[in-house]
Amino acid sequence: MALDSKIPEGKLEEKWNNYKEHAKLVNPANKRKMEILVVGTGLAGASAAATFAELGYKVKAFCFQDSPRRAHSIAAQGGINAAKNYKNDGDSVYRLFYDTIKGGDFRAREANVYRLASVSADIIDQCTAQGVPFAREYGGLLDNRSFGGVQVSRTFYARGQTGQQLLLGAYQALERQIGLGNLTMYNRHEMVDVVTIDGKARGIIARNLISGKLERYFGHAVVLATGGYGNVFYLSTNAMGSNVTAAWKAHKKGAYFGNPCYTQIHPTCIPVSGEYQSKLTLMSESLRNDGRVWVPKTKEDAKAIREGKKKPEDIKEDDRDYYLERKYPSYGNLCPRDIASRAAKEACDDGRGIVPSGLGVFLDFADAIKRLGIDVVKARYGELFPMYQNITNEDPLKTPMKIYPAVHYTMGGLWVDYELMTSVQGLYCLGEANFSDHGANRLGASALMQGLADGYFVVPYTIGNYLAGEIFTKAIPTDHPAFEEAEKAAKVRMEKLLAINGKHTVEDLHRKLGKIMWEYCGMARNAEGLTKARKLLGELRNEFWTDVKVPGTLTEFNPELDKAGRVADFIEFGELMVIDALNRNESCGGHFREEYSDQGEAKRDDENYLNVSAWEFTGVGADPVLHKEELKYENIKLQVRSYK
């Protein structure tokens, strides 16, 4: 199948308006007959479901948490980007567009990114109208701060809990539609398969996580908004429940997977402290506005700090290496995440790490406190400092924070066209679950922007263009053979997991998977390691299906069974991720192949890899088929990505 991205003709700045003006419409009477299933109720899913219902469609929304308020979107701390130019510092829609393309190392679609930048200002107006308590300046205007990879202040924030406040706004919109009877909410339901009929998505199979019952749901269209796959690494900043299952099931039903090797390693996380950990904690990138990153210049001083013989305050200013300011003077501590992460790894690999494991650097607020005063610094970052102190028992206002990179966000995801439809007709994908807007690296504060843009301002228009052709399709009964077959396959798989009765817990095998992925497909990769990883993953898949221990039964509340299904999908997905990383013989953004670098900097190959890798599933353990979407840059000149 040829990849048709459906990018509209015309000038870049006119494409989205032209699309909306010529898209097909569904009249109000017909909307009442159309059913849409939305899987996932984080920012993208909740905003989409609420907007669909407000437009008049019949909507069913599903989340595996006990409430949409539990979605991992709440964990976003730092802010949301928008080209409002409130600071009068030269920002514009074009500059946000350019920064996003450059930040993604020139591996994103121009048309999608420009649309994202152009609707960004509308998001702030929408959320302010909902009552989201954005930070304000003394005069009452909304405040802004800067984030990595940009030289303007365009990030709107609500202390250190921006994601939570934005999700509450979307949740209120969702609850309003539930109250009006336009939307039915299914909490504690996990999608375990997509149902396709004649090549179109026509429903899902969901498992009621309380009773264990498998249930069938029909929809004229299915929308996935289920987040990213960072937990393939086991240790990440993602919530423990975050998984790849919904996207992977869609992939196995024909949806292409785009750029799975693109993973973002966030530079400011609390370092790993022991084998017992099952999750890592993010410290917002906003802290790099006022925090300065450094390590000692000498290995001797670093060793003394690791052994507790010296404190950070004992290292004189001239003996500190503020390596981001040294290497990237134009952007300093606000260089993009992938670059800051690799620089931290480089310093630690040089033996200058400052925690017992050697994998940690300092983030120091002493200068900001001298310049602004402690009360101003505390007010800017809300609960971030107390959160750090509660976890580490150290006060970051008195001694520097200790940070190190960790898996945070995934730029890859299901391949979608300009309309956010996957390669399966009627199956849409929003937010972090799709690949569309960030290229090979996401700039900070752009995840919330994309999720809300997709849900509030993009898919409500594009889905109508498809549903206008479905108005004569009556609801398909869920006793249709396609539903029967999908439910049977899901049940057989779960029964197989329960019957293995092996020696290893799901958690043990997940941790083993994470170690393989981090070692060979983490912050740095090479052909030898990736080749080894593929072999190890095949062996791990066999071990999982012959020696995992899953207690309980199918028809009951069984979290271990739920997790077993997710980890089985992670192992299969990990193989695709490694294949993609092995296939892309270049370094770009979050994909750093050691063979393709120049003095530690990423070395792109625009001649051979200026494309999206869209993979087609051919079977578990089999080689997938690669489809390429060529990227065309007509408005931005390709150049070496420099922040120096």
Side-chain angles (χ1 to χ4, degrees):
M1 182 183 123
L3 285 179
D4 179 9
S5 56
K6 298 181 187 173
I7 297 173
E9 298 293 329
K11 295 180 180 178
L12 182 67
E13 60 272 17
E14 297 172 359
K15 287 181 186 294
W16 181 230
N17 282 335
N18 287 343
Y19 175 90
K20 290 190 291 183
E21 289 169 359
H22 295 92
K24 297 174 185 175
L25 300 175
V26 182
N27 80 44
N30 284 330
K31 283 176 182 169
R32 291 193 291 271
K33 303 172 187 175
M34 312 299 290
E35 299 184 53
I36 303 175
L37 307 183
V38 179
V39 183
T41 52
L43 279 181
S47 58
T51 308
F52 292 150
E54 190 171 340
L55 286 170
Y57 295 107
K58 293 166 64 177
V59 183
K60 292 183 175 74
F62 302 81
C63 72
F64 65 69
Q65 300 96 340
D66 58 359
S67 165
R69 287 180 298 174
R70 299 285 191 186
H72 189 56
S73 300
I74 66 164
Q77 299 166 344
I80 177 170
N81 289 331
K84 285 278 197 182
N85 196 31
Y86 279 179
K87 291 288 188 181
N88 225 15
D89 54 2
D91 200 12
S92 65
V93 168
Y94 182 85
R95 198 175 292 276
L96 174 53
F97 158 68
Y98 180 82
D99 286 344
T100 305
I101 291 282
K102 179 184 176 184
D105 216 351
F106 302 93
R107 289 293 179 265
R109 272 194 210 127
E110 280 191 338
N112 283 64
V113 177
Y114 193 88
R115 175 176 64 186
L116 175 65
S118 66
V119 304
S120 64
D122 296 332
I123 298 170
I124 303 304
D125 296 340
Q126 166 92 2
C127 296
T128 303
Q130 288 176 334
V132 173
F134 288 119
R136 293 179 181 268
E137 295 178 331
Y138 179 76
L141 297 176
L142 299 186
D143 197 10
N144 292 126
R145 56 191 180 199
S146 189
F147 258 64
V150 305
Q151 292 181 310
V152 297
S153 295
R154 66 163 65 102
T155 304
F156 295 78
Y157 63 99
R159 292 174 72 92
Q161 49 183 249
T162 314
Q164 181 174 358
Q165 297 302 330
L166 291 172
L167 186 63
L168 287 172
Y171 173 71
Q172 290 173 85
L174 192 74
E175 286 295 311
R176 179 172 180 268
Q177 295 304 319
I178 294 171
L180 291 172
N182 301 328
L183 190 154
T184 305
M185 185 71 222
Y186 294 87
N187 300 335
R188 288 292 189 185
H189 280 68
E190 181 170 24
M191 190 200 91
V192 292
D193 209 352
V194 175
V195 178
T196 58
I197 300 174
D198 297 329
K200 294 183 178 181
R202 292 301 191 193
I204 66 169
I205 305 298
R207 182 168 185 264
N208 182 322
L209 299 183
I210 302 299
S211 68
K213 182 182 177 184
L214 292 173
E215 302 172 1
R216 309 171 186 179
Y217 297 93
F218 163 80
H220 288 89
V222 177
V223 178
L224 302 183
T226 50
Y229 48 82
N231 277 348
V232 71
F233 291 92
Y234 185 72
L235 284 179
S236 81
T237 66
N238 290 180
M240 290 288 288
S242 298
N243 63 81
V244 77
T245 288
W248 191 245
K249 299 302 187 189
H251 177 57
K252 294 173 95 167
K253 282 296 178 72
Y256 296 170
F257 215 107
N259 298 332
C261 76
Y262 288 164
T263 306
Q264 180 168 87
I265 314 295
H266 197 294
T268 52
C269 300
I270 298 177
V272 176
S273 56
E275 281 287 316
Y276 59 86
Q277 277 188 266
S278 56
K279 187 186 183 306
L280 298 176
T281 303
L282 170 72
M283 288 286 102
S284 170
E285 180 178 327
S286 62
L287 293 168
R288 289 199 280 148
N289 272 285
D290 290 310
R292 300 179 71 193
V293 181
W294 66 276
V295 291
K297 286 183 177 178
T298 68
K299 296 177 183 179
E300 291 74 22
D301 279 344
K303 183 180 179 183
I305 290 174
R306 289 197 299 271
E307 294 175 349
K309 296 176 181 177
K310 282 188 177 182
K311 296 180 179 179
E313 300 79 33
D314 297 331
I315 309 300
K316 296 178 181 178
E317 191 71 12
D318 290 344
D319 295 328
R320 300 180 179 190
D321 180 13
Y322 293 95
Y323 57 85
L324 292 179
E325 297 170 33
R326 170 175 56 81
K327 296 181 69 173
Y328 309 103
S330 291
Y331 286 75
N333 295 293
L334 285 174
C335 64
R337 292 175 175 178
D338 58 321
I339 290 174
S341 294
R342 283 197 295 275
K345 182 179 185 297
E346 184 181 286
C348 293
D349 288 349
D350 188 41
R352 294 184 291 146
I354 49 78
V355 297
S357 68
L359 303 177
V361 301
F362 288 127
L363 182 62
D364 197 333
F365 296 90
D367 284 356
I369 291 170
K370 289 177 186 175
R371 186 177 74 253
L372 301 169
I374 195 166
D375 291 337
V376 171
V377 173
K378 285 172 66 176
R380 280 186 176 178
Y381 301 107
E383 79 285 358
L384 292 173
F385 291 134
M387 183 169 73
Y388 178 87
Q389 187 169 0
N390 288 338
I391 293 171
T392 65
N393 199 32
E394 294 181 353
D395 185 351
L397 295 169
K398 295 179 180 177
T399 189
M401 273 187 182
K402 296 168 184 173
I403 59 168
Y404 193 69
V407 173
H408 177 58
Y409 188 90
T410 53
M411 287 75 67
L414 291 182
W415 181 90
V416 292
D417 59 25
Y418 188 74
E419 296 183 319
L420 303 185
M421 189 191 289
T422 69
S423 50
V424 175
Q425 289 288 297
L427 179 64
Y428 292 79
C429 190
L430 316 181
E432 188 179 357
N434 74 32
F435 89 99
S436 67
D437 290 357
H438 306 297
N441 173 63
R442 176 176 69 78
L443 291 184
S446 287
L448 303 183
M449 176 175 62
Q450 185 210 348
L452 291 180
D454 287 356
Y456 280 136
F457 297 106
V458 178
V459 78
Y461 288 99
T462 63
I463 203 167
N465 200 46
Y466 170 74
L467 292 177
E470 296 293 319
I471 59 175
F472 296 110
T473 302
K474 294 183 179 179
I476 297 172
T478 55
D479 60 0
H480 186 284
F483 281 92
E484 297 264 7
E485 184 181 339
E487 182 183 326
K488 182 180 178 181
K491 184 178 180 181
V492 167
R493 186 175 190 257
M494 292 176 189
E495 288 174 339
K496 184 178 178 182
L497 284 168
L498 291 166
I500 295 169
N501 199 30
K503 300 189 298 292
H504 296 291
T505 66
V506 176
E507 193 80 358
D508 286 341
L509 294 170
H510 192 184
R511 185 180 282 110
K512 192 171 182 179
L513 167 66
K515 288 181 177 179
I516 294 170
M517 297 303 295
W518 180 252
E519 177 71 21
Y520 301 112
C521 197
M523 219 183 313
R525 303 104 184 251
N526 58 58
E528 182 183 357
L530 291 166
T531 302
K532 182 177 180 180
R534 189 174 182 191
K535 179 177 179 291
L536 292 173
L537 289 171
E539 293 171 354
L540 180 63
R541 174 164 40 82
N542 291 333
E543 182 181 7
F544 182 91
W545 283 102
T546 57
D547 209 14
V548 72
K549 172 76 172 180
V550 183
T553 65
L554 179 62
T555 55
E556 67 175 346
F557 177 70
N558 191 345
E560 276 301 292
L561 177 59
D562 305 333
K563 176 156 187 174
R566 296 167 194 165
V567 173
D569 292 329
F570 269 137
I571 294 171
E572 293 176 8
F573 168 74
E575 293 181 77
L576 177 65
M577 193 172 169
V578 165
I579 289 168
D580 187 42
L582 193 55
N583 176 77
R584 187 169 283 275
N585 295 316
E586 65 165 352
S587 288
C588 58
H591 170 64
F592 189 74
R593 283 282 296 271
E594 293 173 332
E595 310 98 312
Y596 306 100
S597 60
D598 182 12
Q599 296 181 337
E601 302 295 332
K603 193 174 181 181
R604 291 198 326 262
D605 181 353
D606 294 334
E607 184 176 345
N608 296 302
Y609 294 98
L610 189 60
N611 57 59
V612 176
S613 298
W615 295 94
E616 178 183 1
F617 182 76
T618 59
V620 176
D623 289 336
V625 174
L626 175 60
H627 302 265
K628 295 181 181 180
E629 178 197 342
E630 301 300 326
L631 294 170
K632 297 178 182 178
Y633 285 93
E634 299 170 346
N635 299 274
I636 285 181
K637 182 180 179 182
L638 288 167
Q639 57 186 281
V640 175
R641 180 174 173 242
S642 174
Y643 292 90
K644 295 184 177 182

